[in-house]
Amino acid sequence: MNDEIQPFRIEIPQADIDDLHARLDRVRWPAQLAGTGSERGVPLDRMKELVGHWRSGFDWRGWEARLNRLPQFVTGIDGQRIHFLHVRSERPDATPLLLLHGYPSSIVEFVELIEPLVAPSEGPAFHVVAPSLPGFGFSNPLGGSGWSMGRTGRALAELMRRLGYERYGVHGGDIGAGVAGMVAGVDGERVVGVHVVTDPLTAAATATFIPGMADRLDADDPVDKLILERMTAFRTEGSGYLAIQNSRPQTIGYGLADSPVLQLAWIAEKFAEWTDRPIDRDVLVATVSIYWFTGSGAGAAHVLYEQAHSSDWGAPAAVPHGFAVFGADATVRTLVPAPPGAHWTEFEHGQHFPAMEAPDDLVADLRTFFGPLRRASSAAPS
């Protein structure tokens, strides 16, 4: 890839769709052991329902057309193809906003956010730039090893420079939250603020990787006790998907690249476990379809491996920070290192995927946080 910004359209060959359907037609189903349920993974009846819908009820071409109504581009940065949505507002006072998805997610995460951000009936407006992170979606395949969050942050800061934005905001969740901090750390003179989303389960899971965190918590304190219980539950019951990707991404990559049912189960499990509001079935299957057609199940696994083995944490970002906590309870303030004076909003509902679970709440918080930070942006290509 060269460094030119080129228009892009999603055009999955019909042969790839036919191949997917053929694979779904010849699934070899495992048995469901009597007396077991979702504690052992996605139940058999749920998987059969989802596979049946993907095979016969889901309209990929309709989703392809829907996504293609959003301007998309690709460019090469640091040897890696970067795919991104770039939707400009007609408002002259609009703030450029970099939206960064998490895992296991894609640009589909932001479909419901774009119109209210770009063309609000009132309040702040935004120019939206939503990349597929390296290794994910149409930014797959990876151009090589080493794509940690730090390297990704530097690449996306360069993307915003190429687009001509002198001042911009950054938002992210999950991996995207980490990358958002990296972008601000390397480009603090241009980043007006960083807004991230989290939830109690994600915060507790992240805490399991912080050296000495368990020793800092008091088991006699009700809040700390709850955190310790969640950390233990994640280590013993919820971290298997991450352990294999953090250690053997190539091995699990064979299955994710060869079996659409494994790719579907891999993501459907997390959509079920990490939400408290139902996500539309077609949104789930559209997300899985992008992983399948681009082979980015394996790419995402390699990115998780890179991060698990990286020491590239960047410098602290001395910019305004905003935190939106979904499914909020008292544990998150204990775990999230919010700087003094940070914007902090708590929402009762929604969890790991608020852009899909509670888009109206997320849009409102983005407006509240970035509204006072707006600065005029320079012109950028439409």
Side-chain angles (χ1 to χ4, degrees):
M1 289 291 299
N2 59 40
D3 60 2
E4 294 181 0
I5 294 174
Q6 304 171 8
F8 178 85
R9 285 180 57 83
I10 302 170
E11 295 177 331
I12 300 301
Q14 185 60 42
D16 289 359
I17 299 174
D18 294 341
D19 174 71
L20 167 63
H21 289 168
R23 290 169 185 262
L24 295 177
D25 283 337
R26 59 175 188 268
V27 179
R28 294 180 61 194
W29 293 109
Q32 178 84 42
L33 295 182
T36 66
S38 58
E39 75 281 355
R40 299 198 181 202
V42 186
L44 180 60
D45 57 353
R46 173 59 172 163
M47 278 304 301
K48 287 186 173 181
E49 184 270 327
L50 286 173
V51 166
H53 180 68
W54 198 8
R55 172 61 180 89
S56 302
F58 175 70
D59 178 15
W60 167 253
R61 291 300 187 199
W63 266 92
E64 191 176 68
R66 183 178 181 181
L67 292 170
N68 281 333
R69 286 194 285 272
L70 302 170
Q72 299 174 62
F73 303 86
V74 291
T75 189
I77 302 176
D78 194 13
Q80 175 66 41
R81 180 170 80 164
I82 303 293
H83 162 263
F84 60 99
L85 307 178
H86 186 200
V87 188
R88 295 270 296 170
S89 175
E90 295 183 357
R91 289 262 299 272
D93 63 342
T95 301
L97 179 60
L98 183 63
L99 297 180
L100 304 177
H101 66 78
Y103 174 87
S105 196
S106 72
I107 57 170
V108 170
E109 180 174 343
F110 298 125
V111 166
E112 295 298 325
L113 301 188
I114 290 176
E115 183 174 354
L117 289 173
V118 170
S121 57
E122 58 183 1
F126 300 87
H127 305 304
V128 169
V129 179
S132 301
L133 297 180
F136 291 77
F138 300 98
S139 293
N140 195 54
L142 286 168
S145 61
W147 279 96
S148 64
M149 288 194 293
R151 185 175 178 185
T152 299
R154 291 187 290 274
L156 297 181
E158 169 62 16
L159 173 63
M160 297 303 278
R161 185 197 66 78
R162 289 187 191 176
L163 292 174
Y165 290 128
E166 296 297 330
R167 301 287 289 174
Y168 62 94
V170 190
H171 160 81
D174 189 65
I175 295 173
V179 174
M182 300 293 179
V183 172
V186 300
D187 207 19
E189 292 185 357
R190 295 195 300 154
V191 172
V192 300
V194 173
H195 181 276
V196 300
V197 293
T198 190
D199 63 272
L201 294 177
T202 300
T206 302
T208 65
F209 298 100
I210 300 174
M213 174 56 77
D215 296 334
R216 303 175 206 171
L217 300 173
D218 180 1
D220 293 327
D221 178 86
V223 172
D224 286 4
K225 181 181 178 181
L226 181 56
I227 293 171
L228 288 167
E229 290 173 350
R230 287 175 176 165
M231 290 172 63
T232 299
F234 177 75
R235 282 194 302 267
T236 58
E237 301 291 340
S239 63
Y241 80 100
L242 193 57
I244 191 169
Q245 293 179 115
N246 282 355
S247 60
R248 297 293 185 270
Q250 187 69 25
T251 300
I252 189 60
Y254 295 120
L256 294 171
D258 189 59
S259 170
V261 176
L262 176 57
Q263 182 65 87
L264 175 61
W266 203 249
I267 295 178
E269 178 183 276
K270 301 313 171 193
F271 271 48
E273 291 181 348
W274 295 350
T275 59
D276 71 357
R277 285 182 169 181
I279 293 176
D280 183 87
R281 181 175 59 175
D282 276 358
V283 173
L284 164 61
V285 175
T287 301
V288 176
S289 295
I290 288 178
Y291 275 74
W292 174 254
F293 289 132
T294 64
S296 57
H302 281 287
V303 170
L304 294 177
Y305 176 93
E306 296 290 353
Q307 192 51 47
H309 294 80
S310 174
S311 59
D312 182 10
W313 294 102
V319 302
H321 279 68
F323 297 86
V325 184
F326 288 81
D329 64 21
T331 65
V332 180
R333 283 187 182 265
T334 299
L335 294 172
V336 174
H343 165 91
W344 191 277
T345 308
E346 296 181 341
F347 297 96
E348 181 178 357
H349 295 291
Q351 287 191 14
H352 190 73
F353 304 101
M356 295 182 280
E357 296 178 79
D360 292 343
D361 290 338
L362 180 52
V363 167
D365 203 58
L366 288 168
R367 289 175 177 161
T368 299
F369 174 66
F370 284 111
L373 304 177
R374 286 182 296 169
R375 297 195 182 182
S377 65
S378 62
S382 60

